């Protein structure tokens, strides 16, 4: 892509914070001003809220940029901030209300969680696993996944969580890259009433040469599993009789806390490396201020611990703040499509954090489903993972938030560790579709291809101008790739790979990955803006657009549209949608073709796979689609694409 990205979409709706929010929120104007005046002092203050063994004396060490170090001479164990320090006053507070997909429940207090973490940490040590040994975690969303992550942190063993929906090949590849010494898994996981055979996948992943010496298996689904004596251990037998306390390993702030693989669109997965002190500072600060956690809140993040959202905002951020959270094991449509709303009502959830892909799916399923439940406990909503289209934002606001809950649209990445661009619910006037402004202490801008800041009203590349505590430290085993991918496009600045525009008030509007930008008749158009214009039409639940090569215009816009409820697409609606885009954002953005489809191809974390839609539109041979969450939809779309109308 060259040149700036066009700014087409205009949004006039405004939602200022209520007086209750303004007065009661953890983060007030004062915090924003203080962080702006001295970002390093702000971060030092946030770090000092954690439990340190040896206090740090230096905040940032930038002598070997871009290999920045934070709080580097401090020592700590992150589990002391997440567990031990809460016990005296809040030991009986619920850390997790857990609900299994079949409907079974467990309540785990901070005291209980501490006990389970200590016993399992002792169990790991009894197998000879300790500081510096990488442990893979390949599990469903059972409470033991949190116990496993924290037990690793307790003994200084970096964890590498591999999403339980991934294949044995993905696990094998990640084990090899990380040199995993052990794998923690379950016999199986419940998904839509069926058992996902996790242990069997582990067995396949360990065939042949492997660095893995131990496999620890949590009983969940009681399905039959193969057993390798000496290598395999039942979790319950391993923790049985272990001491109830466990001396934590004292770690340097800069030691590795975990590796988490992010696939990106091309090449081998990158093992994103996160540190101890800086990471916990970032997630704990943002959790407190963005989600505005108070003692009586019940918080629910619907992510899986296999993604960074689960690491930062199910495990480390909430626990460092002594929050009470809900964890749900299964699928949102089991047994019915209103399971999430039943959960919100039965647990009295006050803060809900989910993804645009889920919100658009709920829009498609229909308004009557949330309407069946009392959602009045909710007071704050969050969104993460993709740009949220203004109409999806409005639907979330009305049908889930009852018109009274602020929505925090939080932009960040696996690499950034913590939320970077976001509203503060007691401070920021919201605009549907905008992640608003950088978090206090974060210095981000939008630049053109030469690195010059664009003026308000312009579009270009998002960059972060200075380091922040929770940033990735490197790509595991490949520091050169770290430098190349993130720090070479705009020297001295971090480049996340996202397009962004600034409005007249310097609000940030994320425009999707720059690899997805379309070049139509010499204009760079963002997929996000055209998609939002389509979702703006009352019949549309979700849309994906891609640029397909076109002899006349360079690229032509190909759109794929999912309708709400049981509406069906026809020629009339197709023309109506094309004109709707033209009126909403301009004739240049009018899709050349539209395919109606019941679903869109998505990654397992719910992001639309535009690369695949480009392949379909340009009639290329499709590569491996088995990594998709819904591979069967590809055939259906391809059949549809051949019959769609064009100009
Ligand atoms: C990419 C990072 C961060 C946790 C989940 C995803 C996109 C994420 C937003 C948002 C617009 C967003 C970006 C980013 N993204 N949040 N609020 N608005 N885009 O982590 O898998 O590392 O993906 O997700 O493109 O670069 P990830």
């Amino acid at each position: 892509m060259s040149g700036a990205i066009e700014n087409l979409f205009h949004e006039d709706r405004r939602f200022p914070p209520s007086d209750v929010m303004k007065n009661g929120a953890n983060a007030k104007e004062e915090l924003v001003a203080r962080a702006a005046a001295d970002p390093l002092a702000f971060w030092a203050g946030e770090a000092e809220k954690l439990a340190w063994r040896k206090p740090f004396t230096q905040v940032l060490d930038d002598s070997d940029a871009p290999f920045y170090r934070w709080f580097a001479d401090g020592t700590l164990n992150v589990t002391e901030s997440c567990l031990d320090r809460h016990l005296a006053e809040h030991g009986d507070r619920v850390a997790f209300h857990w609900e299994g997909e079949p409907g079974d429940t467990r309540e785990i207090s901070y005291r209980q969680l501490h006990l389970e973490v200590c016993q399992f940490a002792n169990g790991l040590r009894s197998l000879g696993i300790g500081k510096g040994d990488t442990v893979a975690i390949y599990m469903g969303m059972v409470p033991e996944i949190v116990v496993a992550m924290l037990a690793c942190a307790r003994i200084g063993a970096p964890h590498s969580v591999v999403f339980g929906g991934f294949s044995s090949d993905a696990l094998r590849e990640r084990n090899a890259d990380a040199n995993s010494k052990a794998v923690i898994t379950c016999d199986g996981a419940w998904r839509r009433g069926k058992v996902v055979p996790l242990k069997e996948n582990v067995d396949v992943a360990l065939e042949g040469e492997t660095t893995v010496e131990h496999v620890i298996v949590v009983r969940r689904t009681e399905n039959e599993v193969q057993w390798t004596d000496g290598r395999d251990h039942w979790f319950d037998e391993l923790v049985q009789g272990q001491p109830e306390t466990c001396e934590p390993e004292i770690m340097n702030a800069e030691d590795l806390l975990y590796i988490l693989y992010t696939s990106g669109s091309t090449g081998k997965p990158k093992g994103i490396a996160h540190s101890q002190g800086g990471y916990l500072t970032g997630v704990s600060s943002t959790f407190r201020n963005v989600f505005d956690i108070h003692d009586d809140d019940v918080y629910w993040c619907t992510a899986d611990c296999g993604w960074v959202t689960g690491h930062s905002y199910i495990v480390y951020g909430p626990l460092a703040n002594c929050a009470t959270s809900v964890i749900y094991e299964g699928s949102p449509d089991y047994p019915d499509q209103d399971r999430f709303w039943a959960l919100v009502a039965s647990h009295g959830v006050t803060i809900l954090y989910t993804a645009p892909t889920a919100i658009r799916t709920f829009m498609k399923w229909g308004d009557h489903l949330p309407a069946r439940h009392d959602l009045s406990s909710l007071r704050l909503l969050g969104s993460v993972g993709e740009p949220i289209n203004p109409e999806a934002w409005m639907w979330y606001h009305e049908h889930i938030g009852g018109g009274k809950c602020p929505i925090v649209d939080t932009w960040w990445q696996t690499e950034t560790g913590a939320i970077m661009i976001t509203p503060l619910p007691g401070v920021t006037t919201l605009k549907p579709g905008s992640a608003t402004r950088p978090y206090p202490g974060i210095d981000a801008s939008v630049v053109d291809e030469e690195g010059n800041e664009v003026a308000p009203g312009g579009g270009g590349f998002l960059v972060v101008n200075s380091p922040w505590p929770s940033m990735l430290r490197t790509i595991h085993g490949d520091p050169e790739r770290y430098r190349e991918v993130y720090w070479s496009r705009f020297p001295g600045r971090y480049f996340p790979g996202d397009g962004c525009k600034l409005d007249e008030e310097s609000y940030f509007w994320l425009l999707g990955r720059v690899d997805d930008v379309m070049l139509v008749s010499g204009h760079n158009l963002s997929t996000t803006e055209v998609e939002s214009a389509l979702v703006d039409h009352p019949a549309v639940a979700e849309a994906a657009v891609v640029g397909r090569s076109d002899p006349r215009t360079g690229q032509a816009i190909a759109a794929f549209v999912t309708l709400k409820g049981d509406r069906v697409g026809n020629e009339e609606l197709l023309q109506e949608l094309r004109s709707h885009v033209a009126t909403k954002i301009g004739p240049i953005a009018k899709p050349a073709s539209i395919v109606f489809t019941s679903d869109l191809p998505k990654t397992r974390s719910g992001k639309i796979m535009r690369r695949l839609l480009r392949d379909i539109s340009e009639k290329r041979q499709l590569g491996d689609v088995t990594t998709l969450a819904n591979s069967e939809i590809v055939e259906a779309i391809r059949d549809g694409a051949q019959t769609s109308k064009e100009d």
Side-chain angles (χ1 to χ4, degrees):
M1 187 197 114
S2 67
I5 305 178
E6 302 287 324
N7 174 3
L8 301 174
F9 203 100
H10 290 278
E11 175 57 63
D12 296 320
R13 289 168 286 200
R14 300 284 180 276
F15 297 85
S18 67
D19 287 341
V20 174
M21 267 291 176
K22 260 193 205 152
N23 300 327
N26 292 337
K28 306 215 167 61
E29 282 293 354
E30 171 278 328
L31 179 111
V32 178
R34 188 157 46 81
D38 190 346
L40 288 185
F42 166 75
W43 285 123
E46 295 299 279
E48 279 157 8
K49 294 180 178 140
L50 305 176
W52 293 85
R53 282 293 180 117
K54 175 168 158 277
F56 56 89
T57 61
Q58 187 187 22
V59 180
L60 170 64
D61 172 3
D62 59 2
S63 58
D64 187 22
F67 299 94
Y68 296 99
R69 293 154 56 84
W70 286 84
F71 320 117
D73 63 346
T75 68
L76 77 168
N77 183 289
V78 295
T79 65
E80 293 199 302
S81 290
C82 293
L83 300 170
D84 303 62
R85 65 164 168 172
H86 305 318
L87 297 186
E89 256 188 81
H90 302 299
D92 295 327
R93 181 179 291 183
V94 174
F96 295 110
H97 296 282
W98 176 83
E99 187 165 321
E101 195 185 73
D104 48 338
T105 59
R106 271 177 69 185
E107 255 179 33
I108 300 148
S109 67
Y110 272 87
R111 197 181 324 285
Q112 180 69 21
L113 185 60
H114 176 264
L115 172 81
E116 291 190 24
V117 167
C118 286
Q119 288 195 311
F120 186 47
N122 289 328
L124 289 172
R125 275 186 179 151
S126 76
L127 297 176
I129 298 162
K131 185 169 177 177
D133 296 327
T134 306
V135 176
I137 296 177
Y138 180 71
M139 301 171 72
M141 283 300 281
V142 287
E144 288 82 0
I145 192 171
V146 179
V147 172
M149 291 165 73
L150 294 171
C152 288
R154 189 77 172 181
I155 63 173
H159 53 70
S160 160
V161 183
V162 178
F163 174 55
F166 279 152
S167 65
S168 40
D169 281 348
L171 178 61
R172 179 200 299 276
E173 184 180 26
R174 286 158 176 74
N175 279 341
D177 188 81
N179 266 309
S180 303
K181 185 166 172 180
V183 178
I184 307 169
T185 189
C186 302
D187 48 2
W190 288 117
R191 192 74 192 170
R192 292 206 177 88
K194 296 208 173 70
V195 172
V196 181
L198 294 177
K199 171 63 164 70
E200 193 181 311
N201 292 348
V202 173
D203 291 337
V204 174
L206 300 189
E207 277 167 11
E209 218 176 298
T210 178
T211 54
V212 175
E213 296 167 20
H214 297 285
V215 177
I216 299 137
V217 189
V218 173
R219 286 182 222 267
R220 171 60 184 147
T221 45
E222 306 278 346
N223 52 315
E224 217 174 295
V225 294
Q226 302 279 316
W227 207 252
T228 304
D229 284 327
R231 185 196 73 179
D232 296 353
H233 317 269
W234 287 109
F235 180 95
D236 49 316
E237 290 171 10
L238 183 64
V239 299
Q240 186 76 46
Q242 292 291 347
E244 298 185 355
T245 57
C246 170
E247 205 42 53
E249 197 71 43
I250 305 307
M251 307 298 284
N252 290 315
E254 278 295 317
D255 284 340
L256 181 63
L257 175 61
Y258 69 79
I259 302 170
L260 181 60
Y261 287 86
T262 168
S263 37
S265 45
T266 47
K268 135 170 192 269
K270 302 189 277 281
I272 303 302
H274 280 291
S275 73
Q276 312 264 339
Y279 174 76
L280 197 66
T281 299
V283 299
S284 145
S285 169
T286 48
F287 182 74
R288 180 167 54 250
N289 293 318
V290 175
F291 297 111
D292 188 43
I293 196 79
H294 285 70
D295 280 350
D296 48 359
D297 276 316
V298 178
Y299 162 84
W300 181 23
C301 166
T302 69
D304 188 286
C305 283
W307 315 121
V308 73
T309 309
H311 286 61
S312 299
Y313 299 110
I314 293 177
V315 181
Y316 293 105
L319 294 175
N321 284 283
C322 200
T324 294
S325 302
V326 169
I327 294 181
Y328 168 57
E329 177 186 37
S331 173
D333 55 358
Y334 190 86
D336 291 308
Q337 292 176 332
D338 63 349
R339 183 69 183 268
F340 272 26
W341 317 124
L343 275 149
V344 168
S346 65
H347 293 282
V349 172
T350 60
I351 306 169
L352 177 70
Y353 191 30
T354 192
T357 178
I359 298 164
R360 292 184 304 246
T361 302
F362 299 138
M363 281 169 74
K364 181 168 76 186
W365 288 347
D367 308 351
H368 61 289
L369 294 162
R372 276 186 201 157
H373 299 272
D374 177 7
L375 305 182
S376 61
S377 56
L378 289 168
R379 67 174 194 93
L380 180 63
L381 303 175
S383 169
V384 62
E386 285 178 293
I388 178 164
N389 319 103
E391 276 327 299
W393 195 105
M394 289 304 300
W395 186 90
Y396 195 26
H397 190 256
E398 277 167 37
H399 294 277
I400 307 305
K404 66 174 168 64
C405 303
I407 299 177
V408 288
D409 172 8
T410 61
W411 179 90
W412 59 296
Q413 308 177 294
T414 305
E415 291 88 337
T416 69
I419 293 168
M420 301 289 280
I421 302 182
T422 179
L424 295 172
V427 175
T428 315
T429 290
L430 306 171
K431 304 183 186 182
S434 171
T436 74
R437 295 245 171 79
Y439 184 73
I442 300 297
D443 177 10
S445 354
V446 181
V447 299
D448 65 18
E449 66 274 24
E450 268 106 47
N452 305 309
E453 307 227 343
V454 307
F461 306 90
L462 178 67
V463 290
V464 186
N465 300 308
S466 18
W468 64 99
S470 65
M471 61 188 285
L472 78 167
R473 295 306 192 261
T474 189
I475 293 176
H476 177 72
D478 202 347
E480 260 327 296
R481 191 172 175 204
Y482 164 72
R483 195 195 289 273
E484 169 64 29
V485 172
Y486 304 108
W487 300 92
S488 66
R489 178 72 182 76
F490 299 102
R493 295 158 142 181
Y494 174 81
F495 176 49
D498 280 22
C500 191
K501 69 177 190 181
L502 284 182
D503 70 14
E504 285 63 26
E505 295 173 298
S506 293
Y507 271 48
F508 288 63
W509 296 74
L510 276 304
L511 297 177
R513 306 293 298 171
V514 293
D515 314 327
D516 289 334
V517 167
M518 306 172 288
L519 187 59
V520 181
S521 307
H523 298 271
N524 284 309
L525 305 183
S526 94
T527 53
T528 302
E529 294 209 298
V530 182
E531 288 162 6
S532 288
L534 286 163
V535 176
D536 185 74
H537 189 281
V540 176
E542 185 159 45
V545 306
V546 297
R548 116 172 97 70
S549 52
D550 180 274
R552 193 163 53 88
T553 54
Q555 284 190 320
I557 300 178
F560 299 82
V561 167
T562 302
L563 299 174
K564 282 185 191 158
D566 34 55
R567 310 228 7 187
V568 280
N570 53 28
E571 179 61 26
E572 193 189 335
L573 182 61
L574 192 152
Q575 293 309 338
E576 199 179 307
L577 291 179
R578 296 181 72 233
S579 353
H580 188 76
V581 173
T583 19
K584 190 77 195 167
I585 59 178
I588 177 93
K590 204 162 146 176
S593 62
I594 296 180
V595 174
F596 294 107
T597 165
S598 63
D599 201 356
L600 295 166
K602 290 186 186 155
T603 65
R604 306 230 169 209
S605 64
K607 291 190 205 299
I608 298 171
M609 286 273 277
R610 294 184 188 73
R611 183 172 51 80
L612 215 90
L613 292 172
R614 267 196 303 272
D615 289 344
I616 293 175
S617 304
E618 297 181 344
K619 305 199 165 56
R620 260 191 302 279
Q621 195 69 41
L622 301 184
D624 182 15
V625 298
T626 54
T627 58
L628 290 182
N630 50 354
S631 50
E632 66 296 338
I633 197 64
V634 171
E635 276 305 311
I637 294 179
R638 200 165 35 187
D639 296 343
Q642 280 155 7
T643 55
S644 79
K645 292 278 180 305
E646 304 215 0
D647 253 1

